[in-house]
Amino acid sequence: MPHTHPETELHNPQSTKPPLDPHLKALENEAIHIFREVAAEFERPVMLYSIGKDSSVLLHLARKAFYPGRVPFPLLHVDTGWKFREMIAFRDAMVEKYDLDLVVHTNPRGAAENITPFTHGSALYTDIMKTEALRQALDAGQYDAAFGGARRDEEASRAKERIYSFRTPDHRWDPRNQRPELWNLYNGMIRRGESVRAFPLSNWTEVDIWRYIQAEEIPIVPLYFAEKRPIVERDGMMILAEDPRLELLPGEAKREEVIRFRTLGCFPLTGAIRSSATTLDDIISELETATVSERQGRAIDRDQAGSMEKKKREGYF
Amino acid sequence: MTAPAVANAALDETAVALPSQEPARVARDSRPLRLITCGSVDDGKSTLIGRLLWDTKAVKEDQAASLQRDSSGKQNDLGLPDFALLLDGLQAEREQGITIDVAYRYFSTDKRSFIVADTPGHEQYTRNMATGASTADLAVLLVDARVGLLEQTRRHATIATLMGIRQFVLAVNKVDLTNYDRSRFEQISHEFKELALSLGVRQVTAIPVSALKGENVVYDGRTSMPWYDGPTLIQVLELATTRSAQTVGFRLPVQRVSRPGESFRGYQGTVAGGSVKPGDSVVILPSGMVANVTKIVTFDLVRNAAVAGDAITLVLDRQVDVSRGDMIVAIDSQPMTGLAFDAQLVALQPEGIQPGKRYWLKSGSRRQRVQVQPVSQLELKSGKWNHADELPMNAIGKVHLTFDEQAIFDTYEQNRTTGAFILIDPDTNNTVAGGMITARRATIGGIHAEEHRVIMSLPADLADQLMATEIFANRREDVDIRRVNAAKAIEVIDAIDD
């Protein structure tokens, strides 16, 4: 299709795309509505950016919500120091490409006490490097609203989250006493020190995310696509063996496998899947026949029954 | 911070909409159906949804494995896990074996996708049921075949109706425990249809179900119930309709004003009714100023038109004062504006709704102070509206709303977005009620005339005296007396003198 206006071309890189199907369009409209509502009602919003596929969709929707203006709040990346290298490179490229404000925070205690997922176990490590770090960063920025990419289909306690999820001044979530949330009338009234987590992707499913990424041609970290990569098998998970800090235990050996990631977190705690999906079409058809859930590869969900809820109560996303 | 120059250049006057193409690949052609399940405690709601998820293959192997693990010792004689654990994700829910809060679940069949809100049965958590009902297209009401209709069934059916749900499925569950007794099923269906009819609902499908055994949920139960030849639950859900289109004209509650640079000023919001296209004349409320639409801007395109549900940015042809909370509407079909409205509401918090208390009211993007005067409360058993001065938690009531400045509404019947509101308690910031506008009330000074009724605001002691008189007793149908403090009464009387 010919572009008669250079501006149109600049801003409509996907202008030859077919229109979104009504299901995705409705989800998009809902998310944009939530973004605008939070931006209008809160003084210091921030967007949690974890560089995964959901974050990529979230960022895309934020850009749409405020166009032709800039995204009017910073992105916050809580960096545990153990992310996949490709994720950090991708993050920096996005910030550059879309002219975003980025705040990166790492819990200083992690470095001081040399907290690692190997030496301290996933539960303590997550508590310090993710939950505690997030609380530090939110306090430091005095943010009164934080957008997150959580979806209700991910996990049982997330299915219970409101779109506006109220937090006390010490970031606690009380799942038994949430504010009622009727229609699309979100209650943004809080006292100083209190905050709200806002989840524009609440009603999206994993397949919706992928179909939207495909329809909107949203850039994602290449680790989502299958490729031959070095791995180590540990606790029934295939861990990417690229980082020099990964020490092989007795009996372990590196080997190459064609793998990809269905979800991305910290590399020592995120299991890869065997897959030959090298395109979005492949990924979507793989997903439609998948017999295991998305979070099956995440070690932190398996610490104990209800462990996500426990972490969330304490301030985790 | 300044906007990149290109952003404004893209909005050049000559920019045109690109012709839309036929979709190359559209997997689903309709929006997901939103439904709620409700009913009393132990009617088996969680089991029913668990069964829906299980039989539509929405439960993955690892989830099934952890379910089997968590439900050890609770397995039923069919060797299936305790489905309720799929839904009751909170620790407290698992400990107590009840549903406390709404869980939203997603599943699909070849024909359609669904968002189901599993809402609690306990009366104490009615607010969470109302939360689920406010966005639902259809309600599945569960009844235990052995027990029949309960007050909770009436409560939930009533709230669902108030919230605008017009499609009901009555799932008469646990029919296996009544030996698939046909007459029992028919008796309960008949009773429920009477109730639904009294609520103004005509679309009711009654289905005999065993959620545990999966009969008439996704698979039919013909072997056990040869006498039932109606649809299964999933068949009804696949054929149900989503919310009807709004009938009133164009409505855009303004969420925020976008001013990325000197040359661009747009009004951002989600179209809450009707449609709009460039060239349309619009009115900005409450100011009443008139303007014309020049452009509809979205990230992808400058568009030819926008319809209800679209999140857009609207550009007008002249400099007008528009801010968050205003509403841009069609010039030939405007909503009601005024200082006094009638509404129905559901009280959601332990403190109830107190007479004369000033709350925050949020509707669309507009938040303003309102005084709420309870008028009557619905008695669920009889369906009668009884006079009420205050509304306790979970009560369904009729109220008068009085504003300090112009309010803008449609009736909820006409528009489920611009006719709905929430009340926020300024003391706690909690959401204390969900409400639906039924009518505007005419105001004459401090006395409001509504059809034949006159509302008088009097000091509390005087109001009590007057209400005790025989004159008032004879005039009850015509006069409504509101207790206010003396200062407010003087204010009202002054206003009349003016």
Side-chain angles (χ1 to χ4, degrees), chain A residues 219-263:
Chain A
I220 48 167
V221 179
L223 289 163
Y224 285 112
F225 296 103
E227 200 179 290
K228 193 178 258 188
R229 296 184 172 99
I231 59 118
V232 154
E233 202 147 352
R234 183 176 294 178
D235 300 331
M237 291 195 311
M238 290 189 287
I239 299 172
L240 191 70
E242 272 182 353
D243 193 298
R245 291 174 295 178
L246 177 73
E247 290 172 22
L248 294 186
L249 302 175
E252 286 184 345
K254 268 195 222 184
R255 64 167 195 272
E256 300 242 301
E257 286 251 15
V258 178
I259 55 148
R260 70 177 198 89
F261 291 86
R262 197 165 158 191
T263 164

Short mmCIF file of all heavy atoms in Angstrom, two decimals, chain A residues 219-263:
data_model
loop_
_atom_site.label_atom_id
_atom_site.label_comp_id
_atom_site.label_asym_id
_atom_site.label_seq_id
_atom_site.Cartn_x
_atom_site.Cartn_y
_atom_site.Cartn_z
N PRO A 219 7.76 -5.79 19.08
CA PRO A 219 9.05 -6.44 19.30
C PRO A 219 9.10 -7.17 20.65
O PRO A 219 8.59 -6.67 21.65
CB PRO A 219 10.06 -5.27 19.31
CG PRO A 219 9.29 -4.03 19.10
CD PRO A 219 7.83 -4.33 19.06
N ILE A 220 9.72 -8.35 20.66
CA ILE A 220 9.90 -9.11 21.91
C ILE A 220 11.33 -9.66 21.97
O ILE A 220 12.01 -9.74 20.95
CB ILE A 220 8.90 -10.30 22.03
CG1 ILE A 220 8.88 -11.11 20.73
CG2 ILE A 220 7.51 -9.81 22.40
CD1 ILE A 220 8.17 -12.44 20.88
N VAL A 221 11.73 -10.04 23.17
CA VAL A 221 13.07 -10.59 23.38
C VAL A 221 13.21 -11.88 22.55
O VAL A 221 12.33 -12.74 22.58
CB VAL A 221 13.29 -10.90 24.87
CG1 VAL A 221 14.67 -11.50 25.11
CG2 VAL A 221 13.11 -9.64 25.70
N PRO A 222 14.33 -12.03 21.81
CA PRO A 222 14.50 -13.20 20.93
C PRO A 222 14.48 -14.55 21.65
O PRO A 222 14.26 -15.58 21.00
CB PRO A 222 15.88 -12.97 20.31
CG PRO A 222 16.17 -11.52 20.51
CD PRO A 222 15.42 -11.07 21.71
N LEU A 223 14.66 -14.54 22.97
CA LEU A 223 14.65 -15.81 23.71
C LEU A 223 13.31 -16.55 23.62
O LEU A 223 13.22 -17.73 23.93
CB LEU A 223 14.96 -15.56 25.19
CG LEU A 223 16.41 -15.16 25.52
CD1 LEU A 223 16.48 -14.54 26.91
CD2 LEU A 223 17.33 -16.35 25.42
N TYR A 224 12.28 -15.84 23.18
CA TYR A 224 10.97 -16.49 23.03
C TYR A 224 10.93 -17.41 21.80
O TYR A 224 10.02 -18.21 21.65
CB TYR A 224 9.86 -15.45 22.92
CG TYR A 224 9.51 -14.80 24.24
CD1 TYR A 224 9.77 -13.45 24.47
CD2 TYR A 224 8.91 -15.54 25.25
CE1 TYR A 224 9.44 -12.85 25.68
CE2 TYR A 224 8.57 -14.95 26.47
CZ TYR A 224 8.84 -13.60 26.67
OH TYR A 224 8.52 -13.02 27.88
N PHE A 225 11.90 -17.21 20.90
CA PHE A 225 11.92 -18.03 19.68
C PHE A 225 12.95 -19.16 19.81
O PHE A 225 14.01 -18.98 20.41
CB PHE A 225 12.26 -17.17 18.47
CG PHE A 225 11.23 -16.11 18.19
CD1 PHE A 225 11.46 -14.79 18.55
CD2 PHE A 225 10.02 -16.45 17.60
CE1 PHE A 225 10.49 -13.82 18.32
CE2 PHE A 225 9.05 -15.48 17.36
CZ PHE A 225 9.28 -14.16 17.72
N ALA A 226 12.60 -20.31 19.23
CA ALA A 226 13.46 -21.49 19.36
C ALA A 226 14.78 -21.30 18.60
O ALA A 226 14.82 -20.72 17.51
CB ALA A 226 12.73 -22.71 18.84
N GLU A 227 15.84 -21.82 19.24
CA GLU A 227 17.16 -21.74 18.66
C GLU A 227 18.01 -22.76 19.41
O GLU A 227 17.66 -23.15 20.53
CB GLU A 227 17.71 -20.32 18.91
CG GLU A 227 18.84 -19.91 17.99
CD GLU A 227 19.26 -18.47 18.33
OE1 GLU A 227 18.48 -17.53 18.07
OE2 GLU A 227 20.35 -18.32 18.90
N LYS A 228 19.11 -23.14 18.79
CA LYS A 228 20.01 -24.05 19.50
C LYS A 228 20.78 -23.25 20.55
O LYS A 228 21.42 -22.26 20.23
CB LYS A 228 20.98 -24.71 18.52
CG LYS A 228 21.72 -25.88 19.13
CD LYS A 228 22.65 -26.53 18.13
CE LYS A 228 22.06 -27.82 17.58
NZ LYS A 228 23.04 -28.56 16.74
N ARG A 229 20.64 -23.66 21.83
CA ARG A 229 21.29 -22.91 22.91
C ARG A 229 21.90 -23.89 23.91
O ARG A 229 21.41 -25.00 24.08
CB ARG A 229 20.25 -22.03 23.64
CG ARG A 229 19.63 -20.95 22.78
CD ARG A 229 18.70 -20.05 23.59
NE ARG A 229 18.25 -18.91 22.82
CZ ARG A 229 17.07 -18.83 22.20
NH1 ARG A 229 16.21 -19.81 22.28
NH2 ARG A 229 16.74 -17.75 21.51
N PRO A 230 22.95 -23.44 24.63
CA PRO A 230 23.55 -24.31 25.65
C PRO A 230 22.65 -24.36 26.89
O PRO A 230 22.19 -23.33 27.36
CB PRO A 230 24.87 -23.60 25.97
CG PRO A 230 24.65 -22.18 25.63
CD PRO A 230 23.65 -22.14 24.51
N ILE A 231 22.43 -25.56 27.41
CA ILE A 231 21.60 -25.69 28.62
C ILE A 231 22.21 -26.67 29.61
O ILE A 231 23.10 -27.45 29.27
CB ILE A 231 20.18 -26.18 28.28
CG1 ILE A 231 20.21 -27.56 27.57
CG2 ILE A 231 19.43 -25.19 27.43
CD1 ILE A 231 19.52 -28.62 28.36
N VAL A 232 21.71 -26.56 30.84
CA VAL A 232 22.06 -27.53 31.89
C VAL A 232 20.74 -27.99 32.49
O VAL A 232 19.83 -27.18 32.65
CB VAL A 232 22.94 -26.85 32.97
CG1 VAL A 232 22.79 -27.56 34.30
CG2 VAL A 232 24.38 -26.82 32.54
N GLU A 233 20.64 -29.27 32.79
CA GLU A 233 19.40 -29.75 33.38
C GLU A 233 19.54 -29.80 34.90
O GLU A 233 20.49 -30.39 35.41
CB GLU A 233 19.07 -31.13 32.82
CG GLU A 233 17.61 -31.44 32.96
CD GLU A 233 17.09 -32.30 31.82
OE1 GLU A 233 17.82 -32.53 30.84
OE2 GLU A 233 15.93 -32.74 31.94
N ARG A 234 18.63 -29.12 35.59
CA ARG A 234 18.73 -29.05 37.05
C ARG A 234 17.32 -29.03 37.66
O ARG A 234 16.48 -28.25 37.19
CB ARG A 234 19.50 -27.79 37.46
CG ARG A 234 19.73 -27.66 38.95
CD ARG A 234 20.56 -26.45 39.30
NE ARG A 234 21.94 -26.54 38.81
CZ ARG A 234 22.86 -25.57 38.96
NH1 ARG A 234 22.53 -24.44 39.53
NH2 ARG A 234 24.08 -25.73 38.50
N ASP A 235 17.07 -29.80 38.66
CA ASP A 235 15.75 -29.89 39.33
C ASP A 235 14.62 -30.03 38.31
O ASP A 235 13.57 -29.41 38.44
CB ASP A 235 15.48 -28.62 40.17
CG ASP A 235 16.53 -28.42 41.25
OD1 ASP A 235 17.10 -29.43 41.71
OD2 ASP A 235 16.79 -27.25 41.61
N GLY A 236 14.86 -30.79 37.28
CA GLY A 236 13.82 -31.01 36.28
C GLY A 236 13.58 -29.85 35.35
O GLY A 236 12.62 -29.83 34.59
N MET A 237 14.45 -28.82 35.41
CA MET A 237 14.31 -27.67 34.52
C MET A 237 15.54 -27.57 33.61
O MET A 237 16.64 -27.92 34.02
CB MET A 237 14.21 -26.36 35.32
CG MET A 237 12.94 -26.19 36.10
SD MET A 237 12.73 -24.47 36.65
CE MET A 237 14.29 -24.08 37.38
N MET A 238 15.32 -27.05 32.40
CA MET A 238 16.46 -26.77 31.53
C MET A 238 16.84 -25.31 31.71
O MET A 238 16.06 -24.40 31.40
CB MET A 238 16.07 -27.04 30.07
CG MET A 238 15.89 -28.52 29.77
SD MET A 238 15.69 -28.80 28.00
CE MET A 238 14.05 -28.16 27.74
N ILE A 239 18.03 -25.10 32.23
CA ILE A 239 18.49 -23.74 32.53
C ILE A 239 19.48 -23.31 31.46
O ILE A 239 20.36 -24.09 31.06
CB ILE A 239 19.16 -23.69 33.92
CG1 ILE A 239 18.14 -24.09 34.99
CG2 ILE A 239 19.72 -22.32 34.22
CD1 ILE A 239 18.76 -24.25 36.35
N LEU A 240 19.37 -22.08 31.03
CA LEU A 240 20.29 -21.56 30.02
C LEU A 240 21.70 -21.46 30.61
O LEU A 240 21.89 -20.88 31.68
CB LEU A 240 19.82 -20.19 29.53
CG LEU A 240 20.54 -19.66 28.29
CD1 LEU A 240 20.14 -20.46 27.05
CD2 LEU A 240 20.24 -18.18 28.07
N ALA A 241 22.67 -22.02 29.92
CA ALA A 241 24.04 -22.06 30.45
C ALA A 241 24.94 -21.14 29.64
O ALA A 241 25.83 -21.59 28.92
CB ALA A 241 24.55 -23.50 30.44
N GLU A 242 24.68 -19.86 29.76
CA GLU A 242 25.49 -18.88 29.04
C GLU A 242 26.27 -18.00 30.00
O GLU A 242 27.33 -17.51 29.69
CB GLU A 242 24.58 -17.97 28.20
CG GLU A 242 24.28 -18.51 26.82
CD GLU A 242 23.42 -17.55 26.02
OE1 GLU A 242 22.94 -16.53 26.56
OE2 GLU A 242 23.22 -17.84 24.84
N ASP A 243 25.69 -17.78 31.17
CA ASP A 243 26.26 -16.85 32.13
C ASP A 243 27.40 -17.54 32.87
O ASP A 243 27.24 -18.65 33.38
CB ASP A 243 25.15 -16.43 33.11
CG ASP A 243 25.53 -15.23 33.95
OD1 ASP A 243 26.52 -15.35 34.73
OD2 ASP A 243 24.86 -14.20 33.85
N PRO A 244 28.57 -16.88 32.95
CA PRO A 244 29.72 -17.50 33.62
C PRO A 244 29.48 -17.76 35.11
O PRO A 244 30.17 -18.57 35.73
CB PRO A 244 30.84 -16.48 33.42
CG PRO A 244 30.19 -15.20 33.02
CD PRO A 244 28.90 -15.57 32.36
N ARG A 245 28.47 -17.09 35.70
CA ARG A 245 28.22 -17.29 37.13
C ARG A 245 27.52 -18.62 37.41
O ARG A 245 27.38 -19.03 38.56
CB ARG A 245 27.35 -16.14 37.67
CG ARG A 245 28.08 -14.80 37.71
CD ARG A 245 27.14 -13.69 38.12
NE ARG A 245 26.08 -13.48 37.12
CZ ARG A 245 25.09 -12.60 37.25
NH1 ARG A 245 25.02 -11.85 38.32
NH2 ARG A 245 24.18 -12.48 36.30
N LEU A 246 27.02 -19.25 36.37
CA LEU A 246 26.37 -20.55 36.57
C LEU A 246 27.44 -21.62 36.73
O LEU A 246 28.13 -21.97 35.78
CB LEU A 246 25.46 -20.88 35.37
CG LEU A 246 24.77 -22.24 35.42
CD1 LEU A 246 23.65 -22.27 36.45
CD2 LEU A 246 24.23 -22.63 34.05
N GLU A 247 27.59 -22.14 37.96
CA GLU A 247 28.59 -23.17 38.21
C GLU A 247 27.95 -24.54 38.09
O GLU A 247 26.88 -24.77 38.63
CB GLU A 247 29.19 -23.00 39.61
CG GLU A 247 30.08 -21.76 39.72
CD GLU A 247 30.50 -21.49 41.16
OE1 GLU A 247 30.48 -22.43 41.99
OE2 GLU A 247 30.84 -20.33 41.46
N LEU A 248 28.63 -25.39 37.37
CA LEU A 248 28.08 -26.74 37.19
C LEU A 248 28.27 -27.54 38.48
O LEU A 248 29.33 -27.49 39.10
CB LEU A 248 28.77 -27.43 36.03
CG LEU A 248 28.51 -26.81 34.65
CD1 LEU A 248 29.12 -27.68 33.55
CD2 LEU A 248 27.03 -26.61 34.40
N LEU A 249 27.25 -28.24 38.86
CA LEU A 249 27.33 -29.10 40.04
C LEU A 249 27.87 -30.46 39.61
O LEU A 249 27.84 -30.79 38.42
CB LEU A 249 25.93 -29.26 40.66
CG LEU A 249 25.25 -27.95 41.08
CD1 LEU A 249 23.82 -28.23 41.57
CD2 LEU A 249 26.04 -27.24 42.19
N PRO A 250 28.35 -31.25 40.59
CA PRO A 250 28.86 -32.57 40.21
C PRO A 250 27.80 -33.36 39.45
O PRO A 250 26.62 -33.37 39.84
CB PRO A 250 29.13 -33.23 41.57
CG PRO A 250 29.28 -32.10 42.53
CD PRO A 250 28.47 -30.97 42.01
N GLY A 251 28.22 -33.96 38.36
CA GLY A 251 27.30 -34.78 37.57
C GLY A 251 26.57 -33.99 36.50
O GLY A 251 25.88 -34.58 35.67
N GLU A 252 26.69 -32.66 36.52
CA GLU A 252 26.00 -31.86 35.50
C GLU A 252 26.93 -31.61 34.33
O GLU A 252 28.14 -31.49 34.49
CB GLU A 252 25.58 -30.50 36.08
CG GLU A 252 24.39 -30.58 37.01
CD GLU A 252 23.95 -29.20 37.50
OE1 GLU A 252 24.72 -28.22 37.36
OE2 GLU A 252 22.84 -29.14 38.03
N ALA A 253 26.30 -31.51 33.15
CA ALA A 253 27.08 -31.18 31.96
C ALA A 253 26.27 -30.28 31.05
O ALA A 253 25.05 -30.39 30.99
CB ALA A 253 27.46 -32.47 31.22
N LYS A 254 26.97 -29.37 30.41
CA LYS A 254 26.32 -28.51 29.43
C LYS A 254 26.05 -29.31 28.17
O LYS A 254 26.85 -30.15 27.78
CB LYS A 254 27.26 -27.36 29.04
CG LYS A 254 27.10 -26.12 29.86
CD LYS A 254 27.81 -24.97 29.16
CE LYS A 254 28.56 -24.13 30.16
NZ LYS A 254 29.19 -22.95 29.55
N ARG A 255 24.92 -29.02 27.53
CA ARG A 255 24.71 -29.57 26.20
C ARG A 255 23.86 -28.59 25.39
O ARG A 255 23.26 -27.67 25.94
CB ARG A 255 24.06 -30.95 26.28
CG ARG A 255 22.67 -30.97 26.87
CD ARG A 255 22.01 -32.34 26.62
NE ARG A 255 20.58 -32.26 26.85
CZ ARG A 255 20.01 -32.46 28.05
NH1 ARG A 255 20.76 -32.72 29.12
NH2 ARG A 255 18.70 -32.38 28.19
N GLU A 256 23.87 -28.79 24.09
CA GLU A 256 23.11 -27.89 23.22
C GLU A 256 21.76 -28.52 22.91
O GLU A 256 21.65 -29.72 22.68
CB GLU A 256 23.87 -27.67 21.91
CG GLU A 256 25.24 -27.05 22.10
CD GLU A 256 25.34 -25.70 21.41
OE1 GLU A 256 25.16 -25.66 20.19
OE2 GLU A 256 25.59 -24.68 22.11
N GLU A 257 20.74 -27.67 22.95
CA GLU A 257 19.38 -28.15 22.62
C GLU A 257 18.65 -27.04 21.87
O GLU A 257 18.94 -25.86 22.09
CB GLU A 257 18.60 -28.43 23.91
CG GLU A 257 19.03 -29.68 24.64
CD GLU A 257 18.00 -30.79 24.55
OE1 GLU A 257 17.08 -30.69 23.70
OE2 GLU A 257 18.12 -31.75 25.34
N VAL A 258 17.71 -27.43 21.05
CA VAL A 258 16.85 -26.42 20.43
C VAL A 258 15.72 -26.12 21.41
O VAL A 258 14.88 -26.97 21.68
CB VAL A 258 16.30 -26.90 19.07
CG1 VAL A 258 15.37 -25.83 18.47
CG2 VAL A 258 17.43 -27.21 18.12
N ILE A 259 15.79 -24.95 21.96
CA ILE A 259 14.85 -24.59 23.03
C ILE A 259 14.34 -23.17 22.83
O ILE A 259 14.88 -22.40 22.04
CB ILE A 259 15.52 -24.64 24.42
CG1 ILE A 259 16.77 -23.73 24.42
CG2 ILE A 259 15.84 -26.05 24.85
CD1 ILE A 259 17.06 -23.10 25.74
N ARG A 260 13.30 -22.85 23.60
CA ARG A 260 12.86 -21.47 23.70
C ARG A 260 12.23 -21.28 25.07
O ARG A 260 12.08 -22.24 25.84
CB ARG A 260 11.86 -21.12 22.59
CG ARG A 260 10.51 -21.78 22.74
CD ARG A 260 9.56 -21.30 21.63
NE ARG A 260 8.18 -21.58 22.02
CZ ARG A 260 7.39 -20.76 22.72
NH1 ARG A 260 7.83 -19.57 23.10
NH2 ARG A 260 6.16 -21.10 23.04
N PHE A 261 11.89 -20.03 25.40
CA PHE A 261 11.28 -19.74 26.69
C PHE A 261 9.85 -19.30 26.49
O PHE A 261 9.54 -18.53 25.58
CB PHE A 261 12.08 -18.67 27.44
CG PHE A 261 13.43 -19.18 27.88
CD1 PHE A 261 14.52 -19.12 27.03
CD2 PHE A 261 13.58 -19.76 29.13
CE1 PHE A 261 15.75 -19.63 27.41
CE2 PHE A 261 14.81 -20.26 29.52
CZ PHE A 261 15.90 -20.20 28.67
N ARG A 262 8.99 -19.81 27.36
CA ARG A 262 7.59 -19.43 27.28
C ARG A 262 7.33 -18.25 28.21
O ARG A 262 6.37 -17.51 28.06
CB ARG A 262 6.75 -20.65 27.71
CG ARG A 262 5.31 -20.57 27.31
CD ARG A 262 4.67 -21.93 27.42
NE ARG A 262 3.23 -21.80 27.55
CZ ARG A 262 2.43 -22.81 27.89
NH1 ARG A 262 2.93 -24.01 28.13
NH2 ARG A 262 1.13 -22.63 27.99
N THR A 263 8.18 -18.12 29.19
CA THR A 263 8.08 -17.03 30.16
C THR A 263 9.52 -16.68 30.54
O THR A 263 10.39 -17.55 30.52
CB THR A 263 7.22 -17.48 31.36
OG1 THR A 263 7.45 -16.57 32.44
CG2 THR A 263 7.57 -18.87 31.85
#
